[in-house]
Amino acid sequence: MNTIFTPPLYIQRYEFVIDFVKKNKPKKVVDLGCNDCTLLRKLKFHKEIELLAGLDIDCAVIRAKMYELAPIPTDYLQPGDHPLTIELYQGSVTERDPRTKGFDLVTSIELIEHLQLEDVDRFTEVVFGYMAPVAAIISTPNADFNPLLPGLTGFRHYDHKFEWTKVEFQTWALKVCREFGYVVAFTGVGQIPAQEESIGFCSQIGVFQIDRSGGDAPRLQNNVLYNVVYPSLCDSNIFQRTLVNEVLYWAETLKREWLEEIRFEVENEEVGGEGRTDMGLYREGQSVCVPLVRLCSCPRVQALSGTVQHLTKFLLENSRVQLTNDGTAVVLVDNDDEDLEWDENCDNTGTGPFLVSSVENEDWETELGQ
Amino acid sequence: MTGRARARSRGRARGQETAAPGVTPFQETAREAPPSEGELVGRGRQRTAPGAVSSEAVIQISAGFQQVKIGERGGRRRDFHDAGINTRQAMEHVRESKSGFSGSPIELKANFFKILSRPQWVLYQYHVDFKPVMESRRLRSALMYQHEETLGKARTFDGALLFLPHKLHNTTVLYSETRMGEKVQITVTLTNELPPTSPVCLQFYNIIFRRVLRMLNMQQIGRHYYNPTDPLNIPQHRLTIWPGFTSTILQYESNIMLCTDVSHKVLRSETVLSFMMGLRQQSGDQRFPEACTKELVGLIVLTKYNNKTYRIDDIAWDHTPNNTFKRGDSEISFKDYYKAQYGLDITDGNQVLLISHMKKIGPSGGPPQGPAMLVPEFCYLTGLTDKMRADFNIMKDLSTHTRLTPEQREGRLNRFVGNIHQNTEAQTELNTWGLNFDNKLLSLTGRVLPSERIVQGSRTYNPWQADWSKEMRGIPLISCRPLENWLMFFTRRNNDVAQALLQTLNKVSTPLGIRMQRAIICVGFLPKVVVVLPSNRKDKYDSVKKYLCVDCPTPSQCVVARTLCKQQALMTVATKIALQINCKMGGELWSVEIPLKQLMIVGIDCYHDTAAGKRSIGALVASLNQGMSRWFSKCVLQNRGQEIMDGLKVALQGALKAWLKHNNCLPSRIIVYRDGVGDGMLQSVVNYEVPQIMEPKLTLVVVKKRISSRFFARIDGKLTNPPPGTCIDTEVTRPEWYDFFIVSQAVRMGSVSPTHYNVVYDSSGLKPDHMQRLTYKLCHMYYNWQGIIRVPAPCQYAHKLAFLVGQSIHREPNMNLDDFLYYL
């Protein structure tokens, strides 16, 4: 049915939400009636969002795909700069649920038409009165458009309890605004070329924005179906690990380059040799010291630590990196490359006297009787 | 390193992520293997009382494994466990028992956990029909979801087959409605009651187990699961190691068990783009394309935006992210696509793209989809490159992290199973299906085979340990070739070490019985060459070997100058060199007693040369005498798509001719040890290779080193590695095979890996006990190591030969060298 639109209408609805997210950068987003989490899977790529939640009454459909919201290996390999938590709840949109309070954006895509009309009132009260998000996107079919859909009789889906005309939707939305202090903008997705302008969109959308500043209510958490925290640099352990790995990598790289340069100079009998310090590295006994100032010029280290002072502070707290006494340089041991063979079979040693004495003078042929 | 680079691009579609650009997204359709009714238990209406399964039936059941496939998401999969290949029933002499008896018993633990299911546990299989027919598998699943009250929570549905742990009426009719309001009639018909040992159940256990691992927040990469939250880092090389587990649930000899082993995944915390930039800096613009292809092609990458792995097959030098591809009806650039689809920005618009050929079959069995184009900036490398593997320091760093002692290994395995038992979500899942795992490692009894006496000329000795370099000191070798007319090459800088080597060689060769002339320059005929290489640069070694193996067939010995630098080690090094030179010229070092006459042992291995267009090199090594001290070696180069055995058949004919020349008769029996058979390739060995070498008395043994079975022995109250010679032929073997494990080598660090031997064909009637002992004897016969090795010597020789040809020579060596171990 929706194939008369390209891209399909459901994609257009998701894209509408994504565009809104890109423009308004909400930090906390909840999708009511998240079904199999298709919208959430698209939204998780948007770095602005720190808490992404989904609510559905049917826990089976959530469970079907929920692991696809889990971080993938590369999320661990290079943790993002921003935190992200994804939570999925089982619950009803007509009941007050403290977990759904305090969101920046609530989306309800093609949901309300599945509710009985009396439940719509409760839904309205719960969403706008109780949850009180900063913004809400509510979409529902536009009954005015139905005559344009070929072969359609009755509602678009067997489970629809109603389908509103443009006027009905707008009446409801304006009432919401009056009662709960919101402003609404009407729009939609899905138009056919050469249709009458007054019919409007196939899916009508109301974008609500709160008209006052709402305080964040404390959120309780219970009966969460799924909760996953993405690795991010906001986690101090992950940050420390990432920073130390970067520092050690660059320190080793600089050390190698420096040693190679020295070797080159020695081989070519150039004057100066070890005395050259334009790379800033120097020797202290058996070790090579890499100044933090030098490390800080590596883009990734700088991006992570900011200033040399910060870098010093971070590294002093960490035991994996050894600093010079004055704390200005990383100390690396200059281990001469060892020359040992690497052979799988080189590992032999006895496990002690467990060998059983051998059998002598056997002839297996005779036992075969041939 | 276990599991290194094993995650070949088997990235299977995980859910409904959009396919990689350049690949048309497709719907996975359920593919059901055509039922082969009648002959297979576990298919069709099988209604015998569950639980009472005869051993005969178990074999058949296991054999029918691959006929029926269930998958959480359908699709075709390779059978990595080679199940369904029943080779044992054709061998009469092992039908009753395949166990040996010699040696002394030893109590062992193995990394296996028994699966416990409720008594009378049965899995019910239903066929589901939709009327009208629903094309989309997703839709079919969605429609089924509407009937949870009837079907229950625990269920597996792949679009056509439904599995439930409880029984419905024989035929249940349900009604659903699609979003479009279309009324659908769903008929659920009971087709089968599956006992716990049925092949479908085994596959099913594996699926459930995978779900459980996901609940423990483990990440799937390739076939196995890893824990990303506690990585080990080696920052110098930008390596990240994730600890994880390999797991397989199979029907083993007497029980269904979970075989699980600790595995480590090596990942790299840098993108392919930054790797390429580093490479460009190192190699310069000129050599960059070549270096890049060499380093990258064949590696597996992970992407930033989906949970798939790709194998890099090529590099598209003429493509950048600004190029476009067809998406639906319109053209879109890669840059815009990733921005729109995943909110990812490409910072370097000039990077070239990577090409990955998709092996997966297209929708509804159509041709494979086109190649996927990948953006280096969004790809992360996994595994190690050959260059890294050759780097001693990297390998040392890695092994300190990944080598686990038997006690550490046991601890990790117990903790892993403990975690499953403690995780409530996992327990709920297992309980709804009525399944659980034993909480302790399997205990079993193995045997330590009698130790072998080493025969060296007129003297014999019993090595005290798995190494007899001490015992053999000062004893003359079986036969020695005089070192006459030989040359030594070295650079001016290496003059000192070369002279030292010459002196020491002189000193050590007399007690061994080697007569050595002074090294002289001889123009024209060069019977033997020693080359001292200034560094271990591969290209120099390659050209020396290429010249001396192909153009001018001469046994040669290369030594890297650095190995000669250490004064105190020079005696040992020189002894090894002297022994090696002697072997290369056709000398014999030692032997063991082989109580079979006119027996020819053949070793086969292959090497896959990824650089030269996926060419394979097959090597065949065949014994020429009773003492297994002389060998005939032949190498064949095979192009892609050709069966390795076609060429080896010719090589085997050559081996028989050589045998005839040496013995004036033909061998009365041939035993072939076939190495290099990958997971899932057993079927082709059995069906294709056995007929190729049909001889009256032939035994074909498939040798496998990369296995996840591990054994531990408790000695003096401590969990240690089993002693060399430990043989296991019960409990953990497979009922449908004539197979056994032998732990032949001894290791100083970490846990020892047993070797798996699978006798797939045997018309010689050799007793299992003799088969096992012969195999163990052959592990003593590798002349490049004065000790017991992991595989029979012919396998190791064949491996060495294939490796030399694949890595350095790239051509067939000159046939004048066939009778010598010139590749040692």
Side-chain angles (χ1 to χ4, degrees):
Chain A
M1 181 184 75
N2 282 342
T3 48
I4 55 171
F5 300 103
T6 24
L9 203 58
Y10 77 101
I11 301 263
Q12 290 194 36
R13 286 193 289 262
Y14 293 151
E15 276 170 4
F16 181 86
V17 175
I18 289 163
D19 286 341
F20 182 89
V21 167
K22 276 190 201 157
K23 216 182 294 157
N24 294 279
K25 306 196 186 309
K27 279 201 165 73
K28 298 175 178 179
V29 179
V30 60
D31 184 24
L32 303 180
C34 62
N35 197 5
D36 63 358
C37 311
T38 314
L39 180 60
L40 297 179
R41 278 205 297 280
K42 288 180 184 290
L43 286 175
K44 80 165 197 176
F45 290 105
H46 295 278
K47 315 252 179 315
E48 302 77 25
I49 300 173
E50 291 178 3
L51 173 65
L52 190 57
L55 176 92
D56 206 295
I57 196 150
D58 186 351
C59 67
V61 294
I62 295 186
R63 281 221 173 89
K65 291 273 171 64
M66 69 182 182
Y67 287 107
E68 280 170 35
L69 288 169
I72 58 173
T74 44
D75 288 322
Y76 292 93
L77 287 177
Q78 214 173 60
D81 296 333
H82 305 280
L84 170 63
T85 302
I86 297 181
E87 291 187 346
L88 300 174
Y89 320 120
Q90 182 195 3
S92 164
V93 289
T94 57
E95 275 155 36
R96 294 177 171 217
D97 186 337
R99 293 167 303 181
T100 58
K101 282 190 78 128
F103 276 85
D104 298 315
L105 173 66
V106 168
T107 58
S108 152
I109 305 302
E110 308 288 277
L111 169 79
I112 54 170
E113 64 276 9
H114 292 270
L115 305 173
Q116 299 293 347
L117 271 173
E118 60 269 26
D119 284 337
V120 174
D121 290 338
R122 279 160 63 196
F123 165 84
T124 313
E125 202 281 322
V126 166
V127 171
F128 296 97
Y130 179 75
M131 293 165 69
V134 178
I137 298 174
I138 314 281
S139 92
T140 189
N142 175 7
D144 295 336
F145 201 91
N146 284 358
L148 296 181
L149 296 171
L152 179 76
T153 51
F155 291 143
R156 296 183 195 176
H157 187 269
Y158 74 97
D159 190 45
H160 285 181
K161 308 299 188 298
F162 62 86
E163 279 173 6
W164 275 340
T165 62
K166 231 169 90 178
V167 176
E168 283 168 321
F169 180 61
Q170 293 185 357
T171 313
W172 168 80
L174 292 169
K175 188 167 156 257
V176 166
C177 292
R178 277 196 309 277
E179 278 179 26
F180 301 101
Y182 279 81
V183 288
V184 65
F186 296 106
T187 175
V189 289
Q191 270 182 314
I192 311 180
Q195 72 173 65
E196 270 182 71
E197 198 58 43
S198 62
I199 290 176
F201 298 92
C202 185
S203 262
Q204 48 189 346
I205 297 175
V207 180
F208 297 80
Q209 298 272 3
I210 202 160
D211 211 7
R212 56 184 161 84
S213 56
D216 265 14
R219 295 192 309 118
L220 302 167
Q221 297 204 347
N222 46 42
N223 193 27
V224 180
L225 279 179
Y226 186 59
N227 173 305
V228 59
V229 180
Y230 270 62
S232 84
L233 295 174
C234 297
D235 179 318
S236 68
N237 282 334
I238 294 175
F239 175 79
Q240 278 276 348
R241 193 163 63 215
T242 313
L243 180 69
V244 167
N245 286 343
E246 276 309 313
V247 164
L248 287 177
Y249 171 75
W250 286 107
E252 287 284 348
T253 309
L254 289 169
K255 181 188 99 179
R256 204 172 48 234
E257 282 172 13
W258 184 67
L259 288 176
E260 235 155 65
E261 200 162 294
I262 289 173
R263 203 170 295 151
F264 180 80
E265 282 166 6
V266 170
E267 274 181 26
N268 292 279
E269 282 147 26
E270 275 181 30
V271 278
E274 194 125 351
R276 274 182 58 174
T277 50
D278 55 345
M279 283 184 73
L281 281 72
Y282 56 91
R283 244 181 219 286
E284 219 177 64
Q286 279 297 307
S287 313
V288 173
C289 301
V290 186
L292 295 185
V293 188
R294 186 75 185 78
L295 281 169
C296 233
S297 64
C298 303
R300 185 85 184 122
V301 177
Q302 193 178 18
L304 285 167
S305 57
T307 61
V308 181
Q309 284 77 25
H310 278 131
L311 182 63
T312 318
K313 194 174 131 277
F314 290 134
L315 294 183
L316 282 171
E317 290 166 9
N318 196 291
S319 58
R320 278 178 65 202
V321 181
Q322 200 196 334
L323 293 185
T324 48
N325 289 335
D326 59 354
T328 58
V330 174
V331 181
L332 298 173
V333 184
D334 180 20
N335 50 335
D336 251 338
D337 32 359
E338 293 159 69
D339 51 338
L340 273 167
E341 287 166 66
W342 194 264
D343 187 337
E344 277 182 68
N345 287 318
C346 273
D347 282 336
N348 283 46
T349 26
T351 26
F354 207 88
L355 300 180
V356 186
S357 61
S358 59
V359 189
E360 285 178 40
N361 297 331
E362 279 181 293
D363 186 5
W364 294 350
E365 305 270 354
T366 51
E367 290 186 49
L368 283 169
Q370 290 153 357
Chain B
M1 208 59 256
T2 47
R4 60 170 205 207
R6 287 181 78 173
R8 306 254 140 77
S9 60
R10 256 177 265 111
R12 66 186 57 130
R14 302 256 274 151
Q16 305 302 317
E17 290 280 0
T18 315
V23 182
T24 42
F26 69 98
Q27 278 173 325
E28 283 179 283
T29 42
R31 228 181 303 273
E32 191 195 342
S36 49
E37 231 134 347
E39 58 189 280
L40 296 165
V41 186
R43 186 73 211 182
R45 271 179 199 274
Q46 188 259 335
R47 290 278 177 87
T48 48
V53 189
S54 68
S55 62
E56 186 80 2
V58 168
I59 291 171
Q60 281 193 7
I61 282 162
S62 198
F65 195 160
Q66 61 175 189
Q67 305 297 322
V68 192
K69 295 266 156 166
I70 44 169
E72 263 180 308
R73 301 185 186 86
R76 280 210 331 210
R77 265 165 225 174
R78 213 167 114 194
D79 182 8
F80 293 105
H81 309 302
D82 293 309
I85 304 157
N86 191 341
T87 46
R88 186 178 172 183
Q89 67 188 154
M91 290 176 273
E92 239 167 89
H93 62 298
V94 289
R95 235 181 254 167
E96 286 304 309
S97 163
K98 59 175 176 184
S99 303
F101 51 82
S102 29
S104 53
I106 180 172
E107 288 306 314
L108 299 171
K109 283 191 166 197
N111 59 339
F112 289 78
F113 295 91
K114 280 184 198 158
I115 300 232
L116 314 165
S117 58
R118 262 198 307 258
Q120 305 299 309
W121 189 90
V122 174
L123 186 69
Y124 295 91
Q125 179 185 330
Y126 299 88
H127 184 78
V128 184
D129 266 321
F130 292 86
K131 215 166 111 183
V133 177
M134 295 283 119
E135 272 301 315
S136 155
R137 200 167 65 84
R138 247 180 109 183
L139 186 57
R140 280 181 287 188
S141 295
L143 292 171
M144 291 295 280
Y145 263 122
Q146 299 174 10
H147 297 286
E148 187 164 293
E149 64 285 7
T150 324
L151 303 174
K153 267 203 176 91
R155 62 171 179 269
T156 284
F157 180 60
D158 74 346
L161 294 179
L162 173 74
F163 293 92
L164 299 175
H166 57 89
K167 195 171 175 178
L168 303 175
H169 295 293
N170 277 0
T171 306
T172 309
V173 180
L174 301 165
Y175 294 96
S176 285
E177 209 164 344
T178 66
R179 283 200 183 184
M180 282 62 159
E182 201 179 351
K183 290 203 170 23
V184 183
Q185 180 188 315
I186 307 170
T187 317
V188 182
T189 322
L190 180 69
T191 52
N192 221 336
E193 290 176 15
L194 303 161
T197 49
S198 102
V200 177
C201 279
L202 291 171
Q203 208 177 357
F204 171 80
Y205 297 149
N206 280 290
I207 291 170
I208 299 291
F209 191 65
R210 270 155 197 274
R211 279 193 203 161
V212 165
L213 292 177
R214 224 162 30 180
M215 287 169 188
L216 298 176
N217 280 328
M218 296 184 84
Q219 290 277 336
Q220 184 182 13
I221 301 177
R223 262 193 290 164
H224 306 301
Y225 282 79
Y226 300 90
N227 182 4
T229 48
D230 188 23
L232 302 159
N233 289 100
I234 306 179
Q236 298 88 295
H237 311 298
R238 297 217 143 160
L239 294 179
T240 300
I241 304 155
W242 287 359
F245 297 92
T246 68
S247 65
T248 324
I249 301 173
L250 278 179
Q251 167 75 52
Y252 293 96
E253 204 72 43
S254 51
N255 280 298
I256 300 168
M257 291 190 280
L258 162 74
C259 172
T260 179
D261 191 23
V262 177
S263 155
H264 292 93
K265 190 83 204 165
V266 179
L267 301 160
R268 289 200 251 161
S269 34
E270 65 177 338
T271 62
V272 177
L273 181 63
S274 78
F275 177 81
M276 285 166 94
M277 291 202 299
L279 205 62
R280 184 188 285 270
Q281 219 176 30
Q282 266 175 34
S283 57
D285 286 348
Q286 284 281 307
R287 288 184 51 230
F288 174 64
E290 189 203 333
C292 204
T293 312
K294 206 169 169 190
E295 291 275 330
L296 287 178
V297 168
L299 288 182
I300 308 295
V301 293
L302 294 165
T303 64
K304 224 171 177 166
Y305 43 85
N306 65 14
N307 205 354
K308 292 184 192 180
T309 49
Y310 298 90
R311 179 185 189 276
I312 302 179
D313 291 306
D314 207 348
I315 296 165
W317 296 102
D318 53 348
H319 275 64
T320 69
N322 296 319
N323 280 66
T324 58
F325 66 96
K326 214 168 167 79
R327 187 193 181 205
D329 296 328
S330 54
E331 290 280 326
I332 184 167
S333 74
F334 290 98
K335 206 181 168 102
D336 294 341
Y337 172 82
Y338 284 105
K339 181 71 196 159
Q341 195 72 13
Y342 304 109
L344 291 169
D345 288 305
I346 292 176
T347 54
D348 182 351
N350 290 322
Q351 57 190 307
V352 295
L353 302 184
L354 310 172
I355 301 173
S356 177
H357 295 297
M358 313 288 277
K359 272 201 202 130
K360 201 158 195 173
I361 295 169
S364 59
Q369 306 153 44
M373 306 292 279
L374 306 168
V375 179
E377 196 174 339
F378 300 146
C379 295
Y380 289 84
L381 293 168
T382 68
L384 298 169
T385 58
D386 288 338
K387 208 162 125 199
M388 290 172 134
R389 236 171 245 140
D391 186 326
F392 175 75
N393 285 316
I394 295 183
M395 296 312 283
K396 195 182 72 180
D397 285 347
L398 270 177
S399 70
T400 52
H401 285 122
T402 56
R403 282 218 176 147
L404 302 176
T405 64
E407 290 206 320
Q408 287 169 321
R409 200 172 281 270
E410 187 213 25
R412 284 228 201 150
L413 294 175
N414 281 334
R415 237 174 299 146
F416 174 52
V417 172
N419 283 345
I420 296 176
H421 281 271
Q422 275 152 30
N423 186 299
T424 38
E425 202 184 346
Q427 281 304 303
T428 317
E429 177 76 24
L430 288 171
N431 286 338
T432 47
W433 289 100
L435 296 172
N436 219 330
F437 294 96
D438 203 353
N439 56 6
K440 53 182 191 295
L441 292 169
L442 177 81
S443 295
L444 75 163
T445 310
R447 283 174 293 119
V448 184
L449 298 178
S451 78
E452 289 300 328
R453 209 156 40 142
I454 306 293
V455 184
Q456 197 170 322
S458 54
R459 309 268 291 269
T460 62
Y461 49 86
N462 278 324
W464 182 242
Q465 297 184 325
D467 176 333
W468 50 87
S469 50
K470 282 199 187 76
E471 280 92 340
M472 75 178 293
R473 216 171 274 162
I475 304 178
L477 307 172
I478 293 181
S479 80
C480 295
R481 300 288 147 136
L483 193 55
E484 293 160 333
N485 292 333
W486 66 292
L487 288 170
M488 186 145 126
F489 290 100
F490 47 87
T491 60
R492 192 167 51 92
R493 270 173 67 187
N494 294 326
N495 187 37
D496 292 349
V497 285
Q499 291 304 333
L501 173 67
L502 208 54
Q503 279 174 11
T504 327
L505 271 180
N506 246 321
K507 228 188 284 173
V508 297
S509 44
T510 325
L512 293 169
I514 303 171
R515 272 189 299 121
M516 199 177 87
Q517 280 192 351
R518 283 192 56 187
I520 43 160
I521 296 169
C522 179
V523 191
F525 180 63
L526 314 171
K528 181 70 195 181
V529 177
V530 172
V531 179
V532 180
L533 296 169
S535 66
N536 56 358
R537 281 274 299 275
K538 188 174 169 294
D539 50 347
K540 289 200 181 114
Y541 177 82
D542 289 357
S543 28
V544 168
K545 285 291 174 186
K546 204 174 203 161
Y547 180 71
L548 293 172
C549 287
V550 183
D551 305 317
C552 176
T554 313
S556 62
Q557 176 71 46
C558 291
V559 192
V560 178
R562 255 207 344 225
T563 33
L564 302 174
C565 285
K566 280 189 185 152
Q567 274 301 320
Q568 61 272 38
L570 195 56
M571 278 293 272
T572 328
V573 172
T575 311
K576 287 198 166 160
I577 292 174
L579 292 175
Q580 215 168 333
I581 290 175
N582 192 36
C583 293
K584 286 181 178 182
M585 292 189 304
E588 295 147 88
L589 306 189
W590 64 79
S591 183
V592 290
E593 280 161 38
I594 306 284
L596 284 171
K597 297 263 150 40
Q598 288 173 332
L599 164 71
M600 177 156 119
I601 300 283
V602 176
I604 297 176
D605 197 359
C606 43
Y607 174 86
H608 302 289
D609 195 349
T610 41
K614 293 198 184 115
R615 206 167 46 173
S616 294
I617 288 131
L620 179 141
V621 174
S623 68
L624 293 175
N625 63 351
Q626 173 69 23
M628 306 294 159
S629 55
R630 299 291 313 267
W631 300 88
F632 170 89
S633 316
K634 198 80 189 164
C635 201
V636 285
L637 278 69
Q638 218 79 51
N639 285 321
R640 198 180 179 173
Q642 263 180 297
E643 284 288 342
I644 204 92
M645 204 57 217
D646 293 336
L648 289 177
K649 199 178 165 185
V650 181
L652 187 64
Q653 282 162 3
L656 288 170
K657 275 184 201 144
W659 173 283
L660 183 67
K661 204 175 80 191
H662 275 77
N663 301 287
N664 296 320
C665 66
L666 283 169
S668 65
R669 56 167 56 86
I670 300 179
I671 298 181
V672 181
Y673 286 92
R674 169 77 159 94
D675 202 349
V677 179
D679 293 334
M681 280 163 60
L682 189 65
Q683 184 80 63
S684 69
V685 172
V686 174
N687 289 355
Y688 189 75
E689 295 191 6
V690 173
Q692 294 292 307
I693 35 179
M694 229 8 136
E695 289 283 331
K697 279 181 191 167
L698 172 75
T699 309
L700 183 74
V701 188
V702 171
V703 181
K704 246 180 153 184
K705 297 187 294 286
R706 278 199 201 161
I707 47 168
S708 48
S709 314
R710 300 275 185 169
F711 301 102
F712 314 112
R714 193 167 287 280
I715 295 171
D716 300 334
K718 237 185 97 192
L719 207 65
T720 60
N721 283 318
T726 302
C727 174
I728 298 101
D729 55 12
T730 53
E731 300 258 9
V732 294
T733 49
R734 301 265 286 266
E736 74 274 27
W737 291 346
Y738 169 16
D739 61 337
F740 55 91
F741 294 88
I742 293 182
V743 175
S744 46
Q745 102 242 54
V747 295
R748 200 185 316 151
M749 293 183 292
S751 314
V752 70
S753 312
T755 307
H756 183 248
Y757 297 93
N758 185 4
V759 185
V760 295
Y761 181 85
D762 185 15
S763 56
S764 77
L766 208 62
K767 284 182 183 172
D769 192 58
H770 292 161
M771 192 68 230
Q772 293 167 0
R773 288 191 45 211
L774 178 69
T775 305
Y776 184 49
K777 279 172 188 285
L778 289 169
C779 294
H780 292 69
M781 290 305 299
Y782 182 61
Y783 283 164
N784 226 6
W785 182 255
Q786 293 100 298
I788 315 172
I789 62 164
R790 237 179 113 174
V791 291
C795 286
Q796 190 65 20
Y797 287 138
H799 167 80
K800 262 284 209 202
L801 173 59
F803 189 79
L804 175 75
V805 173
Q807 279 269 306
S808 307
I809 306 179
H810 307 291
R811 276 154 72 190
E812 202 174 316
N814 194 297
M815 60 181 291
N816 289 346
L817 293 169
D818 285 351
D819 283 359
F820 303 101
L821 296 171
Y822 60 94
Y823 42 82
L824 274 190

